[in-house]
Amino acid sequence: MPEPKSTFDATYPCDFYEPAELFEPDQMYTIPEIARLLQELEPDAEIDPDTEAVLIDWAIPWVMTHAEDLVIAEPLEDDGPGYYGVAPHAVEGEAGEGAAEEGSEDADSHDGA
């Protein structure tokens, strides 16, 4: 049931990290690791399963919302998780721009162009 805002002592902006702020540019992360990072925890932090489930519920829509700034990799094992990382174009600075350009050239060469 909805509650009036006046019921709460305080409200806060609903700000989330951008992928370039959250991820190391040379690392790939699983959804549970992303969930931890969004809570300012280390990717390998021990948390109880119920808390992890709630954090994952927040992480999945975050990944979907930021999909244009992410890259994905196949699981390392057949039954393993997928991995996500920040896309080169989403990283600020010259390193990110150069990586994005290299990625487009690689993509063109795979298309037979």
Side-chain angles (χ1 to χ4, degrees), residues 7 28-29 35 41 43 57 60-61 64 66 70 75 81 83 95 99 102 112:
T7 304
M28 299 289 284
Y29 303 89
L41 300 171
D57 285 346
I60 292 170
M64 294 173 67
H66 292 90
L70 299 174
Y83 285 81
E102 288 173 21

Side-chain angles (χ1 to χ4, degrees), residues 2-59:
E3 294 287 340
K5 286 184 182 177
S6 60
T7 304
F8 302 93
D9 292 334
T11 60
Y12 308 95
C14 190
D15 292 332
F16 291 98
Y17 292 100
E18 294 296 318
E21 297 171 314
L22 193 65
F23 296 155
E24 292 296 326
D26 61 341
Q27 298 293 308
M28 299 289 284
Y29 303 89
T30 65
I31 293 289
E33 291 168 340
I34 294 169
R36 287 169 174 78
L37 290 171
L38 287 167
Q39 295 298 312
E40 299 181 357
L41 300 171
E42 291 297 319
D44 59 352
E46 289 291 325
I47 56 176
D48 68 84
D50 291 337
T51 300
E52 182 173 60
V54 171
L55 298 182
I56 287 172
D57 285 346
W58 282 80

